[in-house]
Structures are given as C-alpha cells and as structure tokens.
Amino acid sequence: MDYKVTKTVNLVKGTRDDKREEILQYFRDTWEIDEQIFASLKPESFYMRADALRHPIIFYYGHTATFYINKLVISK
C-alpha cells in the first residue's frame, strides 16, 4: 500500500487561487489516506473498543468526515 506524504499548506506564499487548489489537493490526499487506513480493517473491528475509555473505531470513521465538513463550511 502506497501512502502519500502530505505537508501542511503554507498560507503565506502564493496567490489566493493557488492556495484554494493546494487546500483542495491536501483535502483529497488526506481523505485518501484516511480511507486506506479504514479499508485495512476487518468490518467487525469497527465496533470494538481498543480501550474502555475510547469510542469504538466507527466513531472515528464518522468523526473525520464531520470534521472535514465543518472545516469546509467555516472556511466557505
């Protein structure tokens, strides 16, 4: 499995349109990495807790998508 190396977007250098494209590509890359991680799990493991103080893994799968949506809405 190949993983991309992502670096945080530098918001200081470049044009507004360049930044929008970089941010969009960063989103796509990180989403792909997240999908690859969850795809490597057995379906039954999504409902298991690694620790009693942690949520089942399915929570984190949904949490990532919600986080991205909230960030995109806030940034317009």
Side-chain angles (χ1 to χ4, degrees), residues 7-8 21-22 26-27 31 36 39 56 61-63 70:
K7 294 183 180 180
T8 304
E21 185 56 38
E22 284 180 55
Y26 184 83
F27 166 78
W31 185 263
Q36 288 175 350
Y61 186 65
H63 186 266
N70 288 343

PDB file of all heavy atoms in Angstrom, residues 7-8 21-22 26-27 31 36 39 56 61-63 70:
ATOM      1  N   LYS A   7       2.063  17.594   3.424  1.00  0.00           N
ATOM      2  CA  LYS A   7       2.636  18.682   4.214  1.00  0.00           C
ATOM      3  C   LYS A   7       1.576  19.756   4.352  1.00  0.00           C
ATOM      4  O   LYS A   7       0.782  19.993   3.433  1.00  0.00           O
ATOM      5  CB  LYS A   7       3.875  19.262   3.524  1.00  0.00           C
ATOM      6  CG  LYS A   7       5.019  18.279   3.442  1.00  0.00           C
ATOM      7  CD  LYS A   7       6.238  18.907   2.813  1.00  0.00           C
ATOM      8  CE  LYS A   7       7.351  17.883   2.758  1.00  0.00           C
ATOM      9  NZ  LYS A   7       8.558  18.413   2.175  1.00  0.00           N
ATOM     10  N   THR A   8       1.572  20.399   5.495  1.00  0.00           N
ATOM     11  CA  THR A   8       0.611  21.464   5.734  1.00  0.00           C
ATOM     12  C   THR A   8       0.794  22.572   4.700  1.00  0.00           C
ATOM     13  O   THR A   8       1.914  22.942   4.353  1.00  0.00           O
ATOM     14  CB  THR A   8       0.799  22.050   7.154  1.00  0.00           C
ATOM     15  OG1 THR A   8       0.683  20.982   8.094  1.00  0.00           O
ATOM     16  CG2 THR A   8      -0.226  23.114   7.466  1.00  0.00           C
ATOM     17  N   GLU A  21      -6.440  25.732  -4.555  1.00  0.00           N
ATOM     18  CA  GLU A  21      -6.106  24.470  -5.216  1.00  0.00           C
ATOM     19  C   GLU A  21      -5.252  23.590  -4.301  1.00  0.00           C
ATOM     20  O   GLU A  21      -5.471  22.377  -4.214  1.00  0.00           O
ATOM     21  CB  GLU A  21      -5.383  24.732  -6.538  1.00  0.00           C
ATOM     22  CG  GLU A  21      -5.116  23.478  -7.336  1.00  0.00           C
ATOM     23  CD  GLU A  21      -6.355  22.656  -7.649  1.00  0.00           C
ATOM     24  OE1 GLU A  21      -7.422  23.235  -7.934  1.00  0.00           O
ATOM     25  OE2 GLU A  21      -6.258  21.406  -7.589  1.00  0.00           O
ATOM     26  N   GLU A  22      -4.282  24.184  -3.615  1.00  0.00           N
ATOM     27  CA  GLU A  22      -3.439  23.416  -2.690  1.00  0.00           C
ATOM     28  C   GLU A  22      -4.260  22.825  -1.549  1.00  0.00           C
ATOM     29  O   GLU A  22      -4.059  21.672  -1.159  1.00  0.00           O
ATOM     30  CB  GLU A  22      -2.336  24.302  -2.105  1.00  0.00           C
ATOM     31  CG  GLU A  22      -1.205  24.585  -3.054  1.00  0.00           C
ATOM     32  CD  GLU A  22      -0.151  25.461  -2.394  1.00  0.00           C
ATOM     33  OE1 GLU A  22       0.345  25.089  -1.315  1.00  0.00           O
ATOM     34  OE2 GLU A  22       0.157  26.520  -2.965  1.00  0.00           O
ATOM     35  N   TYR A  26      -4.785  18.960  -0.714  1.00  0.00           N
ATOM     36  CA  TYR A  26      -4.454  18.471   0.628  1.00  0.00           C
ATOM     37  C   TYR A  26      -5.634  17.685   1.199  1.00  0.00           C
ATOM     38  O   TYR A  26      -5.465  16.598   1.762  1.00  0.00           O
ATOM     39  CB  TYR A  26      -4.097  19.649   1.532  1.00  0.00           C
ATOM     40  CG  TYR A  26      -3.657  19.255   2.915  1.00  0.00           C
ATOM     41  CD1 TYR A  26      -2.345  18.879   3.158  1.00  0.00           C
ATOM     42  CD2 TYR A  26      -4.541  19.272   3.982  1.00  0.00           C
ATOM     43  CE1 TYR A  26      -1.926  18.525   4.434  1.00  0.00           C
ATOM     44  CE2 TYR A  26      -4.134  18.919   5.251  1.00  0.00           C
ATOM     45  CZ  TYR A  26      -2.829  18.541   5.473  1.00  0.00           C
ATOM     46  OH  TYR A  26      -2.426  18.191   6.731  1.00  0.00           O
ATOM     47  N   PHE A  27      -6.838  18.229   1.046  1.00  0.00           N
ATOM     48  CA  PHE A  27      -8.037  17.549   1.496  1.00  0.00           C
ATOM     49  C   PHE A  27      -8.175  16.194   0.801  1.00  0.00           C
ATOM     50  O   PHE A  27      -8.409  15.172   1.456  1.00  0.00           O
ATOM     51  CB  PHE A  27      -9.269  18.413   1.211  1.00  0.00           C
ATOM     52  CG  PHE A  27     -10.563  17.664   1.343  1.00  0.00           C
ATOM     53  CD1 PHE A  27     -11.101  17.400   2.585  1.00  0.00           C
ATOM     54  CD2 PHE A  27     -11.232  17.215   0.212  1.00  0.00           C
ATOM     55  CE1 PHE A  27     -12.292  16.700   2.712  1.00  0.00           C
ATOM     56  CE2 PHE A  27     -12.421  16.517   0.327  1.00  0.00           C
ATOM     57  CZ  PHE A  27     -12.948  16.256   1.578  1.00  0.00           C
ATOM     58  N   TRP A  31      -7.883  12.663   2.766  1.00  0.00           N
ATOM     59  CA  TRP A  31      -9.081  11.817   2.733  1.00  0.00           C
ATOM     60  C   TRP A  31      -8.724  10.427   2.203  1.00  0.00           C
ATOM     61  O   TRP A  31      -9.169   9.418   2.738  1.00  0.00           O
ATOM     62  CB  TRP A  31     -10.162  12.461   1.871  1.00  0.00           C
ATOM     63  CG  TRP A  31     -11.437  11.681   1.908  1.00  0.00           C
ATOM     64  CD1 TRP A  31     -11.862  10.760   1.001  1.00  0.00           C
ATOM     65  CD2 TRP A  31     -12.425  11.728   2.933  1.00  0.00           C
ATOM     66  NE1 TRP A  31     -13.068  10.242   1.386  1.00  0.00           N
ATOM     67  CE2 TRP A  31     -13.437  10.817   2.579  1.00  0.00           C
ATOM     68  CE3 TRP A  31     -12.555  12.456   4.110  1.00  0.00           C
ATOM     69  CZ2 TRP A  31     -14.564  10.616   3.362  1.00  0.00           C
ATOM     70  CZ3 TRP A  31     -13.687  12.251   4.882  1.00  0.00           C
ATOM     71  CH2 TRP A  31     -14.658  11.346   4.512  1.00  0.00           C
ATOM     72  N   GLN A  36      -7.736   4.642   3.179  1.00  0.00           N
ATOM     73  CA  GLN A  36      -6.843   3.484   3.108  1.00  0.00           C
ATOM     74  C   GLN A  36      -6.660   2.848   4.488  1.00  0.00           C
ATOM     75  O   GLN A  36      -6.632   1.627   4.612  1.00  0.00           O
ATOM     76  CB  GLN A  36      -5.483   3.888   2.543  1.00  0.00           C
ATOM     77  CG  GLN A  36      -5.506   4.187   1.070  1.00  0.00           C
ATOM     78  CD  GLN A  36      -4.173   4.701   0.559  1.00  0.00           C
ATOM     79  OE1 GLN A  36      -3.272   5.011   1.322  1.00  0.00           O
ATOM     80  NE2 GLN A  36      -4.057   4.803  -0.752  1.00  0.00           N
ATOM     81  N   ALA A  39      -9.896   1.038   5.343  1.00  0.00           N
ATOM     82  CA  ALA A  39     -10.096  -0.104   4.450  1.00  0.00           C
ATOM     83  C   ALA A  39      -9.260  -1.307   4.877  1.00  0.00           C
ATOM     84  O   ALA A  39      -9.588  -2.446   4.533  1.00  0.00           O
ATOM     85  CB  ALA A  39      -9.757   0.288   3.013  1.00  0.00           C
ATOM     86  N   PRO A  56     -15.737   3.221  20.058  1.00  0.00           N
ATOM     87  CA  PRO A  56     -15.470   2.201  19.031  1.00  0.00           C
ATOM     88  C   PRO A  56     -14.888   2.884  17.788  1.00  0.00           C
ATOM     89  O   PRO A  56     -15.102   4.075  17.549  1.00  0.00           O
ATOM     90  CB  PRO A  56     -16.850   1.630  18.719  1.00  0.00           C
ATOM     91  CG  PRO A  56     -17.731   2.048  19.832  1.00  0.00           C
ATOM     92  CD  PRO A  56     -17.138   3.292  20.418  1.00  0.00           C
ATOM     93  N   TYR A  61     -14.250   6.949  12.303  1.00  0.00           N
ATOM     94  CA  TYR A  61     -14.527   6.977  10.865  1.00  0.00           C
ATOM     95  C   TYR A  61     -15.500   8.110  10.546  1.00  0.00           C
ATOM     96  O   TYR A  61     -15.262   8.906   9.639  1.00  0.00           O
ATOM     97  CB  TYR A  61     -15.097   5.626  10.427  1.00  0.00           C
ATOM     98  CG  TYR A  61     -15.285   5.489   8.943  1.00  0.00           C
ATOM     99  CD1 TYR A  61     -14.202   5.505   8.084  1.00  0.00           C
ATOM    100  CD2 TYR A  61     -16.549   5.318   8.394  1.00  0.00           C
ATOM    101  CE1 TYR A  61     -14.361   5.370   6.715  1.00  0.00           C
ATOM    102  CE2 TYR A  61     -16.722   5.176   7.030  1.00  0.00           C
ATOM    103  CZ  TYR A  61     -15.629   5.206   6.201  1.00  0.00           C
ATOM    104  OH  TYR A  61     -15.797   5.071   4.848  1.00  0.00           O
ATOM    105  N   GLY A  62     -16.554   8.228  11.293  1.00  0.00           N
ATOM    106  CA  GLY A  62     -17.524   9.315  11.105  1.00  0.00           C
ATOM    107  C   GLY A  62     -16.988  10.658  11.543  1.00  0.00           C
ATOM    108  O   GLY A  62     -17.315  11.701  10.977  1.00  0.00           O
ATOM    109  N   HIS A  63     -16.157  10.662  12.561  1.00  0.00           N
ATOM    110  CA  HIS A  63     -15.606  11.891  13.111  1.00  0.00           C
ATOM    111  C   HIS A  63     -14.771  12.632  12.071  1.00  0.00           C
ATOM    112  O   HIS A  63     -14.847  13.858  11.954  1.00  0.00           O
ATOM    113  CB  HIS A  63     -14.755  11.565  14.339  1.00  0.00           C
ATOM    114  CG  HIS A  63     -14.256  12.762  15.065  1.00  0.00           C
ATOM    115  ND1 HIS A  63     -13.030  13.313  14.818  1.00  0.00           N
ATOM    116  CD2 HIS A  63     -14.820  13.507  16.037  1.00  0.00           C
ATOM    117  CE1 HIS A  63     -12.852  14.358  15.611  1.00  0.00           C
ATOM    118  NE2 HIS A  63     -13.924  14.493  16.356  1.00  0.00           N
ATOM    119  N   ASN A  70     -17.191  20.383   8.646  1.00  0.00           N
ATOM    120  CA  ASN A  70     -17.214  21.586   9.477  1.00  0.00           C
ATOM    121  C   ASN A  70     -16.138  22.584   9.057  1.00  0.00           C
ATOM    122  O   ASN A  70     -16.398  23.787   8.997  1.00  0.00           O
ATOM    123  CB  ASN A  70     -17.056  21.225  10.951  1.00  0.00           C
ATOM    124  CG  ASN A  70     -18.279  20.573  11.531  1.00  0.00           C
ATOM    125  OD1 ASN A  70     -19.377  20.652  10.967  1.00  0.00           O
ATOM    126  ND2 ASN A  70     -18.126  19.904  12.646  1.00  0.00           N
TER     127      ASN A  70
END
